[in-house]
Each structure stands twice: as C-alpha cells, then as structure tokens.
C-alpha cells in the first residue's frame, strides 16, 4: 500500500499520513513537486493524485490512460512520463 503525507493544499487529506487507495498495491511510485503517480501491481495501470492544475481530473486520484499498462513511471514538477508495457 502507498502512504503519503504532507500539505493539504495538493490533495492530501490532512497534514498527517493518508493511505492512497486502500487495498491497492503499487509496484512503483514517483513523486513530483505537485503530484504523485504509481503503477498498480494488479493491473499495471498508472494512477496519479495531487494538484488539479496540472492535468488531473480532481484533487484525488485518477487513472491515467485506462487501457495502457506501464512498466516504469517518472514524475517531474509539472509532467509525468511512463514506459508502456
């Protein structure tokens, strides 16, 4: 399970620790300046959460390219890149 903590301004539930997608395991997570992305262990789909301003559908979590599997993902300050499976 992925757990994140930090500033509520960018999608965290509080200043403390929060579990991202309870009951979902990730093979990799990558953290950027304003958002975080992970690759799900069960489907290899990429999911991201964080700041809506940079392409996410809400302040919570969103699946990126729902029919595309990834083997690796890297998050930058304002962008994300992934290697397709």
């Amino acid at each position: 399970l992925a757990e994140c903590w930090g500033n509520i301004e960018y999608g965290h539930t509080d200043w403390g620790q929060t579990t991202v997608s309870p009951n979902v395991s990730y093979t990799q997570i990558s953290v950027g300046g304003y958002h975080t992305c992970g690759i799900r262990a069960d489907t290899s789909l990429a999911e991201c959460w964080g700041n809506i301003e940079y392409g996410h559908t809400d302040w919570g979590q969103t699946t990126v390219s729902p029919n595309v599997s990834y083997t690796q993902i890297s998050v930058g300050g304002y962008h994300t890149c992934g290697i397709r499976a």
Side-chain angles (χ1 to χ4, degrees), residues 22-82:
N23 304 317
V24 174
S25 294
Y26 294 90
T27 59
Q28 180 191 352
I29 60 171
S30 181
V31 179
Y34 298 96
H35 67 290
T36 302
C37 295
I39 298 174
R40 290 180 61 123
D42 59 348
T43 62
S44 296
L45 297 177
E47 292 184 339
C48 297
W49 51 95
N51 190 343
I52 190 173
E53 185 176 356
Y54 301 106
H56 302 291
T57 58
D58 57 23
W59 283 95
Q61 189 165 341
T62 184
T63 299
V64 179
S65 302
N67 297 316
V68 177
S69 297
Y70 292 90
T71 60
Q72 189 174 355
I73 198 164
S74 182
V75 176
Y78 301 97
H79 65 283
T80 302
C81 297

